[in-house]
Amino acid sequence: MSGDSNSNISVTASSKAQAMENCETTALQKHVMFFDRNNDGIIYPSETFQGFRAIGCGLLLSSVASVFINLGLSQKTRPGKPFSFKFPIEVKNIKMAKHTSDSGVYDKEGRFVPTRFEEVFAKHALTHPHSLTSDELKNLLKSNREPKDYGGWLAGYTEWKILYILCKDKNGLLHKETVRAVYDGSLFERMAKENASKKQKL
């Protein structure tokens, strides 16, 4: 009986720890968790590739993205660990890979900051209050640039350009709700389902 009791306590404690961990998951972690295809907390280049393919990207873009992202972020998320040619990204430490010259919608801990998100559209969505045009997106990127921060400029440009290419509507507008969904990763899940549905219809 004593063993069963201890086992139950252990399971309960484990469940509570898991629930607490889930509650503390930041928006930035949720943003990248879609690409952790086997849910082990590590994202390898092959998983990044699979994730991009799942949301409808072509072979070339998916290949380039997997190399660019994992080479750029791997070591930053593995402080104190030796270099790895597998280029793993640790989801729990993704805040350490947050690049400069960004919008500030994620804070230093990777949490979503609603006021900064609203500022993006208040300042830059001048044609349509809830959408960004291509030119407005360029102005947004320029306004975020820090002097001589070329790596941050490139990272910001790449992220937003891919988002715009994949998610603009027929009028070339990137909608506010789409941008909001990308910050917590829910957009990727939706795109993957839509892409899978299209393939089934072919």
Side-chain angles (χ1 to χ4, degrees), residues 65-83:
S66 64
V67 173
F68 177 79
I69 292 172
N70 282 73
L71 263 64
L73 306 187
S74 178
Q75 202 57 33
K76 294 178 181 178
T77 66
R78 306 174 66 248
K81 295 183 179 179
F83 175 83

Side-chain angles (χ1 to χ4, degrees), residues 99-103 120 124 132-147 149 152-164 174 183:
H99 66 79
T100 47
S101 293
D102 66 356
S103 62
V120 168
H124 301 284
L132 294 169
T133 65
S134 178
D135 287 340
E136 289 167 349
L137 183 54
K138 290 177 184 177
N139 291 331
L140 166 63
L141 290 170
K142 288 180 181 178
S143 71
N144 289 336
R145 288 179 181 174
E146 297 177 10
D149 179 31
W153 296 5
L154 178 61
Y157 175 82
T158 303
E159 291 171 351
W160 282 96
K161 193 64 175 179
I162 291 175
L163 177 62
Y164 181 78
L174 183 61
Y183 276 109

